[in-house]
Amino acid sequence: MPRTIISELLGTSQSGRTTLASKLGKKGTSSDVTLYNHQKKSLTIIDPHKYPQNIIPLVQFLEMSDVNLLLLPPNPIDKFTAELSIIGNTYTQKPVLIVQTMKDKVTNIELEHYWAENRKKLHSFKHLFEYPPIQVDQNDGNSITILREKILEIGSNTPLYNSDDDEDAIILVDHAFPVKGVGTVVLGKVISGTVRKGMNLLSLPHKTNLVIRSIQVQDVDVKEANKGTRVGLAIKGQFTNIRRGEFLIGKNIAYELTQELEVENYKQAPFTKEINELKQVHLVHGTNDFPAKVKSEGNKVFLKIDKPVPIIPQLPIFVLDLGGKQRFNGIIEVKD
Ligand SMILES: Nc1nc2c(ncn2[C@@H]2O[C@H](COP(=O)(O)OP(=O)(O)OP(=O)(O)O)[C@@H](O)[C@H]2O)c(=O)[nH]1
Ligand SMILES: [Mg+2]
């Protein structure tokens, strides 16, 4: 089975996200995000449709995504497009492709004008321009095909999660639901190792032991699935505490972050203030999210959390200030 390429759409409201996603794939699972799949191409598009009201689902899918599309409609840059540009430019582990949407809504001269203005505003965000921006006409199938191929080409070159112990299975869970006669079906991405039929896995943070009954990749039954693949796993038994945020792991390589931690690898997002005093924030690690208190000084950050959480080595922690004007504050890189 080839690697699944996952692409998240970063766009402000009315930027053309849902229309574009529905052209790139076929609508699948829908919750606080909607997934669109192109089975033949092993492609999954994520429309985090709760954004901008809720930024958490969008950030929960950043780690899964292989290439982020920054949607720019022909309008002046609003504060959400600015926030998304900051996310795309700070999280440099993942490539960004700028997609100009809705170009038929304005004249060519207006389009040129907005593009020149927006480019000027974003010019310091070099990571956003590593690939040439692409214009899409939603009504022209050919331009959609070109975009889809571009996503696959860029996404397949994105390095996968990389740790010292890469053989162990780690699955990030994004959805789970009970299915009569089957047990629990879990959707997620294998970011490390291989998941096999019959395998025992541990689910964290809830510390539940599971047995994999069967595996599907793009609706096809398989015996095993490698790193980089999006999977549907059927698990024996009903587990209500398995949901987005759980890590399914083969060997317990996670360590528990308890109460306090000081890390030296904080990357503060541009246009964000240093957090001088212990401040309530929200953290996202893999698809897990939890509140914490944070203080930062340069690349140093001090964390205080209420209850222990599992930390997967080499997986970043995103720092959000949910009440802030610009909510994405930075990234903590967890080395070991
Ligand atoms: N003319 C034109 N209209 C478009 C295009 N893409 C989307 N639209 C229309 O613009 C509106 C918004 O598009 P959506 O795809 O819903 O955008 P969105 O970002 O998902 O919007 P929200 O989720 O409501 O914030 C809809 O009425 C679409 O039909 C386009 O390329 N050209
Ligand atoms: Mg929408």
Side-chain angles (χ1 to χ4, degrees):
M1 278 283 163
R3 166 180 178 182
T4 321
I5 302 304
I6 303 180
S7 180
E8 181 162 35
L9 304 188
L10 309 185
T12 184
S13 53
Q14 295 287 298
S15 59
R17 296 171 288 180
T18 305
T19 308
L20 185 61
S22 67
K23 305 266 171 169
L24 289 167
K26 191 168 143 253
K27 192 172 176 185
T29 308
S30 187
S31 59
D32 52 1
V33 301
T34 308
L35 307 183
Y36 294 79
N37 303 304
H38 195 292
Q39 199 173 347
K40 246 177 40 206
K41 300 278 185 186
S42 287
L43 173 71
T44 296
I45 305 292
I46 298 157
D47 174 13
H49 60 84
K50 292 280 183 198
Y51 187 84
Q53 292 85 346
N54 190 354
I55 191 176
I56 296 172
L58 181 145
V59 176
Q60 284 175 319
F61 280 85
L62 284 179
E63 182 53 43
M64 288 206 188
S65 179
D66 296 296
V67 43
N68 293 317
L69 305 194
L70 177 62
L71 271 52
L72 294 185
N75 300 317
I77 289 181
D78 67 354
K79 68 173 181 175
F80 299 117
T81 306
E83 181 175 74
L84 294 168
S85 304
I86 286 169
I87 294 175
N89 198 62
T90 309
Y91 190 31
T92 49
Q93 281 85 340
K94 302 294 165 91
V96 178
L97 177 63
I98 290 179
V99 180
Q100 293 175 266
T101 57
M102 304 199 180
K103 65 182 181 109
D104 62 300
K105 278 198 156 178
V106 291
T107 63
N108 280 340
I109 292 168
E110 282 171 315
L111 186 71
E112 278 302 313
H113 164 77
Y114 282 123
W115 181 232
E117 282 293 306
N118 292 347
R119 199 173 175 121
K120 209 157 66 191
K121 287 211 175 101
L122 295 175
H123 84 279
S124 66
F125 286 2
K126 300 274 185 270
H127 185 62
L128 305 183
F129 293 95
E130 270 177 26
Y131 294 93
I134 192 163
Q135 278 190 358
V136 173
D137 182 348
Q138 313 261 23
N139 302 314
D140 171 13
N142 197 30
S143 93
I144 296 292
T145 305
I146 292 170
L147 173 62
R148 192 186 294 115
E149 291 304 321
K150 202 78 207 158
I151 294 169
L152 292 166
E153 179 197 320
I154 299 173
S156 57
N157 288 322
T158 305
L160 290 162
Y161 167 84
N162 190 358
S163 78
D164 296 341
D165 203 348
D166 245 3
E167 299 306 309
D168 280 310
I170 305 176
I171 296 121
L172 300 182
V173 174
D174 56 79
H175 292 86
F177 38 84
V179 175
K180 264 208 184 122
V182 174
T184 306
V185 168
V186 176
L187 306 181
K189 179 175 174 176
V190 185
I191 63 158
S192 172
T194 301
V195 56
R196 297 189 176 83
K197 208 172 151 170
M199 199 176 192
N200 292 295
L201 291 174
L202 174 69
S203 181
L204 294 177
H206 281 97
K207 299 198 175 97
T208 316
N209 289 299
L210 311 169
V211 183
I212 303 299
R213 182 194 282 250
S214 62
I215 306 169
Q216 285 200 337
V217 175
Q218 302 276 2
D219 293 334
V220 177
D221 278 307
V222 294
K223 287 211 167 64
E224 58 177 51
N226 295 332
K227 178 172 170 168
T229 317
R230 202 176 149 69
V231 288
L233 305 174
I235 287 163
K236 294 179 188 170
Q238 300 284 347
F239 296 98
T240 48
N241 59 17
I242 296 179
R243 51 176 176 255
R244 186 176 312 159
E246 292 288 301
F247 299 100
L248 308 190
I249 55 179
K251 194 173 84 188
N252 196 353
I253 59 156
Y255 63 87
E256 286 217 322
L257 174 57
T258 46
Q259 285 148 7
E260 294 182 5
L261 179 77
E262 200 174 288
V263 233
E264 298 240 346
N265 298 298
Y266 181 56
K267 188 175 180 189
Q268 189 182 308
F271 303 104
T272 313
K273 287 201 193 89
E274 209 155 78
I275 310 169
N276 295 321
E277 273 169 47
L278 214 54
K279 178 174 148 185
Q280 185 68 51
V281 292
H282 203 80
L283 303 182
V284 176
H285 180 58
T287 54
N288 195 18
D289 68 298
F290 46 92
K293 287 202 173 78
V294 160
K295 201 166 101 173
S296 73
E297 194 191 323
N299 69 338
K300 264 197 224 146
V301 68
F302 175 73
L303 284 179
K304 216 167 173 282
I305 52 166
D306 300 338
K307 59 175 189 194
V309 290
I311 296 295
I312 305 287
Q314 308 294 339
L315 212 61
I317 302 174
F318 300 105
V319 182
L320 303 177
D321 172 9
L322 297 179
K325 259 196 214 151
Q326 195 285 104
R327 293 168 287 185
F328 189 84
N329 277 204
I331 304 174
I332 300 167
E333 282 161 16
V334 184
K335 294 287 182 221
D336 47 33

